């Protein structure tokens, strides 16, 4: 039997989809192991009970404290530890978002709990957890059996299915008391300023249209933005603009768009790479995308080794054609 604790991340009073992916995964494992799923909410805790129950929570732990309305590493780590102890959790699961990448190692280091980060596969077989994890910047995938109990596991966003909500499910909820002292609040969030770009972040996107050195400058990215505009109008999902590091370092586009080892790790349904060679550091950030399309003039470009569909062609010919065709197919302007 494996009880599982899941950290629920919220943003602008909504549960982040990545947490529902984790919850649904936990629910499947709990079914297989006969354990329970405990969902942990910290800070803003009201109004989420039904959603959490429908996606697989059996019990909801709430740490409602005004001081925790913004994420803070130290007290959040304490809340996680208190919840793990109370639930008797064999594993603590969370999404490997920016927050998750900060929180999980803190809990691991502070409380001596073993941790596996950014995994892409998780199953429960013969009473053991089996984990798939990308290694060497995604060049190989290792399958591991988890021997530690308890352990912390962070799941790569957009890899695991969120599933469909089961509205017949219900969950109990209880307030969790965490022994927080002034010392835990030595760091304070004074103000949160969000970048108002109006663009979808690559980590949230269903489709990423990405450009590299081959787009030749900021104007090339404007062309890719036109393609994104048509896809958005076609209503095919959330579409974001990605970039290689060369494009970012050249000052053609902001770093927030960079995909790769020193950028963001993404796993959209569709990743379209235009004028990107496919260096290992770029592949590390996007090779777990469900479908990869590459357009490159060089037939030997390494990106073609990971691409599901490849086109050896000049992107400046291909992108305008795509825009024209899509406008006709989806009847948009
Ligand atoms: C420690 C470290 C970390 C790094 N982190 C990252 C990272 O996070 N993300 C990342 O992307 N890189 C990263 N890099 C850099 C990486 O090694 C590559 O240099 C980079 O990814 C190359 O970018 P690119 O593919 O745009 O450029 P290039 O490798 O120069 O490739 C450009 C491609 O465009 C094609 N092309 C040119 N013109 C056209 C055209 N008109 N139509 C179609 N195709 C065309 C060319 O054939 C070529 O294949 C990192 C490097 C290091 C050392």
């Amino acid at each position: 039997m494996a009880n599982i604790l899941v950290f629920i991340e919220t943003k602008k009073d909504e549960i982040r989809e990545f947490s529902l992916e984790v919850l649904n995964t936990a629910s499947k494992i709990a079914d297989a192991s006969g354990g329970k799923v405990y969902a942990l909410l910290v800070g803003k805790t009201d109004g989420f009970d039904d959603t959490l129950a429908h996606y697989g929570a059996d019990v909801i732990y709430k740490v409602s404290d005004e001081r925790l309305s913004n994420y803070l590493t130290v007290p959040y780590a304490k809340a996680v530890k208190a919840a793990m102890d109370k639930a008797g959790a064999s594993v603590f699961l969370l999404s490997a978002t920016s927050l998750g990448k900060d929180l999980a190692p803190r809990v691991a280091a502070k409380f001596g709990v073993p941790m596996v980060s950014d995994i892409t596969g998780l199953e429960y077989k013969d009473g053991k957890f089996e984990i798939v994890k990308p290694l060497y910047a995604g060049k190989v995938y290792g399958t591991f059996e988890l021997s530690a109990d308890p352990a912390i596991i962070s799941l790569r966003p957009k890899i695991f299915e969120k599933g469909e909500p089961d509205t017949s499910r219900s969950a109990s909820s209880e307030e969790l008391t965490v022994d927080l002292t002034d010392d835990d609040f030595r760091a304070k969030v004074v103000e949160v300023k969000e970048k108002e770009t109006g663009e979808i972040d690559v980590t949230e996107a269903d489709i990423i249209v990405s450009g590299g050195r081959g787009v030749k400058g900021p104007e090339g990215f404007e062309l890719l933005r036109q393609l994104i505009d048509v896809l958005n109008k076609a209503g095919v999902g959330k579409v974001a603009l990605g970039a290689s590091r060369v494009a970012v370092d050249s000052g053609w586009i902001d770093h927030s768009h960079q995909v790769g080892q020193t950028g963001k790790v993404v796993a959209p349904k569709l990743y379209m790479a235009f004028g990107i060679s496919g260096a290992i550091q770029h592949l590390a950030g996007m090779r777990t995308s469900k479908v990869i399309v590459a357009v490159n003039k060089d037939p030997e470009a390494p990106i073609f080794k990971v691409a599901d569909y490849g086109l050896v062609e000049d992107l400046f010919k291909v992108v305008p054609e795509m825009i024209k065709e899509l406008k006709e197919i989806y009847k948009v302007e």
Side-chain angles (χ1 to χ4, degrees):
M1 190 190 81
N3 283 345
I4 303 166
L5 178 72
V6 176
F7 182 79
I8 305 299
E9 205 175 314
T10 57
K11 192 176 178 188
K12 291 187 183 153
D13 293 346
E14 280 186 20
I15 296 172
R16 296 198 80 186
E17 273 206 15
F18 310 133
S19 292
L20 298 180
E21 295 166 7
V22 181
L23 199 54
N24 183 45
T25 307
S27 168
K28 283 191 204 148
I29 293 169
D31 286 348
S33 78
K36 276 189 177 177
V37 177
Y38 295 78
L40 173 64
L41 281 165
V42 182
K44 160 102 178 100
T45 59
D46 287 340
F48 305 125
D49 288 19
D50 285 348
T51 308
L52 294 179
H54 297 167
Y55 279 94
D58 296 302
V59 180
I60 303 166
Y61 285 158
K62 300 180 178 183
V63 183
S64 316
D65 187 323
E66 268 292 293
R67 297 172 298 173
L68 299 172
S69 54
N70 284 311
Y71 172 68
L72 285 168
T73 316
V74 175
Y76 269 57
K78 265 193 163 179
V80 169
K81 182 64 168 66
M84 280 182 80
D85 289 347
K86 180 133 202 260
S90 293
V91 280
F92 167 48
L93 301 185
L94 74 174
S95 187
T97 57
S98 307
L99 187 155
K101 284 177 184 164
D102 186 77
L103 179 61
R106 174 72 189 198
V107 179
K110 181 79 183 162
F111 302 107
V113 186
M115 166 182 158
V116 194
S117 62
D118 203 23
I119 64 154
T120 54
L122 182 64
E123 276 188 63
Y124 191 77
K125 282 186 186 161
D126 305 324
K128 298 256 183 209
F129 286 94
E130 199 177 274
I131 292 167
V132 180
K133 179 174 162 53
L135 303 162
Y136 302 110
K139 240 182 172 176
V140 293
Y141 288 79
T143 303
F144 300 92
E145 200 178 270
L146 187 71
S147 55
D149 183 348
I152 300 167
I153 305 174
S154 69
L155 280 61
R156 181 171 291 189
K158 292 253 175 203
I159 294 284
F160 295 84
E161 291 295 325
K162 177 175 91 162
E164 292 299 321
D166 176 356
T167 50
S168 67
R169 287 188 55 107
S170 61
S172 63
S173 82
E174 59 185 278
E175 196 62 40
L176 196 69
T177 312
V178 184
D179 179 25
L180 297 172
T181 64
D182 286 347
D183 218 32
D184 297 322
F185 293 93
R186 277 178 297 170
K188 280 194 177 57
V189 178
V190 181
E191 191 184 0
V192 178
K193 271 192 184 168
E194 270 201 47
K195 234 183 192 171
E196 286 299 337
T197 60
E199 290 184 308
I200 290 162
D201 190 85
V202 284
T203 57
E204 315 248 352
D206 302 311
I207 299 174
I208 296 177
V209 173
S210 207
R213 199 198 303 265
V215 308
K216 298 194 168 42
E219 315 75 37
F221 279 100
E222 281 316 308
L223 183 63
L224 297 187
R225 281 197 168 94
Q226 285 174 31
L227 176 57
I228 290 173
D229 186 47
V230 176
L231 289 167
N232 273 329
K233 284 179 182 156
V236 289
K238 291 191 222 167
V239 193
L241 182 62
S244 74
R245 176 158 157 184
V246 165
V248 171
D249 287 352
S250 305
W252 302 343
I253 187 156
D254 188 74
H255 178 260
S256 58
H257 295 270
Q258 187 181 317
V259 172
Q261 195 179 311
T262 43
K264 289 174 180 166
V265 176
V266 297
K269 288 183 190 145
L270 174 61
Y271 188 89
M272 290 190 268
F274 293 96
I276 294 176
S277 62
I280 185 70
Q281 296 88 355
H282 188 79
L283 300 185
M286 46 62 77
R287 72 188 310 161
T288 45
S289 305
K290 313 280 182 306
V291 176
I292 297 171
V293 174
V295 178
N296 196 304
K297 282 203 301 197
D298 175 10
E300 302 299 324
I303 190 85
F304 288 127
K305 291 206 176 89
V306 299
D308 298 283
Y309 300 93
L311 185 56
V312 181
E313 190 48 281
D314 186 334
L315 74 92
F316 291 98
K317 264 169 80 180
V318 175
V319 177
E321 275 297 317
M322 284 180 76
I323 293 172
K324 192 166 151 262
E325 286 289 324
L326 286 165
K327 279 184 176 171
E328 272 176 35
I329 293 168
Y330 288 101
K331 310 264 177 283
V332 292
E333 255 322 296

